[in-house]
Amino acid sequence: MNRPNTVNIRYGLVGANGKMGVEIQSYFSSLGDLCVLRKDRGVLEEIERPQVIIDFSSPDAVFETVELCRKYSCGLVIGTTALTEEHFSRLKELSEHVPVVQSYNFSTGIAILKRIIKEYASYFEDWDAAMVEIHHNQKKDAPSGTAKMLKQALGREIPISSIRVGGIFGEHTLIFSNSGETVEITHRALSRRAFVIGVRNAALFVLGKEKGFFSYDDVLESAQAR
Ligand code: NAD
């Protein structure tokens, strides 16, 4: 989805010093956006009211992020993984007042892969299935949020193997196998830019909404409808 980038966003960022936070600031500022609120562990810089807050941090930051969105009456784009039921219920409450986009993966390739899985899952009904996901050695949660999302798209319990090694940005392989053949589908993020482009699309989407709880699929669908 290539949208003209004529809008400059004044955004807040939770997890500003993290790997995703740094990449988000680099990409957003290359497009003329301004980070007007920065939060990380022990750091809170509030320069002015953000139009949207972006959270790529840790589950223990999320309740405070919700409070910041309430304080500024602004929407939220949240990519932090390993959220619990309680986090989701607080995010849904917030979405009764402002727009919230939540996704465990903001890359367009994973959104397409999810659609492929949903469409073709029934063909593999009688096959064994499993997933292997590989991430960098600093990733805290396992299995990854994306693996959980892909499993949900498949609609059945499957074994998931998580490997943490080196600096890999994110690799997910779904394996279908019967006694005679194997089908593998792999998505590989080549850099964090794969996610960050989607985060900005979601931030622009939030600017056009009054309230509601949305996924990255909703962001992509709204772009396709234009
Ligand atoms: P990271 O560890 O490099 O960065 C996390 C940052 O959040 C750190 O700077 C840390 O100090 C900060 N932080 C932690 N707790 C905080 C708190 N209570 N308040 C404020 N700041 C806090 O991790 P990362 O690779 O940047 O990933 C961040 C999150 O985003 C993880 O949950 C990761 O799984 C997720 N992620 C999601 C996607 C997606 O597309 N949805 C893509 C990549 C990463």
Side-chain angles (χ1 to χ4, degrees):
M1 57 188 259
N2 294 318
R3 302 173 60 156
N5 281 305
T6 47
V7 180
N8 293 130
I9 308 170
R10 301 173 100 76
Y11 66 99
L13 188 56
V14 181
N17 298 339
K19 290 180 280 301
M20 281 298 292
V22 167
E23 188 70 25
I24 287 167
Q25 288 170 88
S26 154
Y27 180 63
F28 279 47
S29 51
S30 75
L31 297 172
D33 302 328
L34 213 57
C35 187
V36 295
L37 183 154
R38 237 179 237 104
K39 185 172 184 292
D40 206 286
R41 265 190 210 288
V43 181
L44 178 57
E45 267 180 71
E46 294 173 274
I47 299 161
E48 63 178 69
R49 176 187 175 272
Q51 294 169 291
V52 54
I53 290 179
I54 297 165
D55 184 318
F56 278 76
S57 59
S58 119
D60 63 19
V62 172
F63 296 141
E64 283 182 31
T65 299
V66 166
E67 288 318 307
L68 277 174
C69 291
R70 282 186 184 280
K71 173 175 171 184
Y72 288 107
S73 230
C74 71
L76 173 65
V77 174
I78 179 160
T80 298
T81 56
L83 302 181
T84 63
E85 289 292 313
E86 201 186 345
H87 290 122
F88 278 106
S89 103
R90 292 285 282 279
L91 291 172
K92 290 203 169 135
E93 261 169 49
L94 177 69
S95 73
E96 287 166 21
H97 308 281
V98 297
V100 175
V101 178
Q102 184 277 329
S103 176
Y104 280 160
N105 195 303
F106 278 90
S107 82
T108 300
I110 285 288
I112 295 169
L113 177 55
K114 243 169 59 184
R115 286 184 195 186
I116 294 172
I117 292 171
K118 278 185 186 157
E119 191 162 339
Y120 293 99
S122 62
Y123 291 95
F124 292 110
E125 234 167 48
D126 302 335
W127 298 46
D128 287 346
M131 200 184 322
V132 180
E133 58 98 349
I134 313 177
H135 282 86
H136 55 85
N137 57 20
Q138 285 156 40
K139 185 163 176 66
K140 297 193 177 77
D141 53 324
S144 68
T146 305
K148 291 179 192 163
M149 220 167 67
L150 294 177
K151 185 177 83 171
Q152 197 182 27
L154 187 64
R156 63 164 145 144
E157 270 314 312
I158 54 169
I160 300 175
S161 295
S162 301
I163 298 170
R164 299 289 171 260
V165 62
I168 291 172
F169 298 115
E171 204 173 299
H172 293 83
T173 300
L174 253 171
I175 306 164
F176 298 99
S177 191
N178 63 21
S179 57
E181 52 190 324
T182 293
V183 175
E184 292 184 9
I185 311 171
T186 298
H187 175 270
R188 215 168 269 133
L190 300 180
S191 79
R192 291 196 174 84
R193 203 39 76 93
F195 311 117
V196 168
I197 292 169
V199 173
R200 190 167 189 278
N201 290 333
L204 287 171
F205 174 90
V206 158
L207 299 192
K209 295 281 169 200
E210 266 185 30
K211 60 182 175 176
F213 191 84
F214 303 97
S215 66
Y216 188 54
D217 293 336
D218 297 318
V219 175
L220 286 176
E221 269 161 33
S222 105
Q224 280 162 359
R226 271 196 298 271

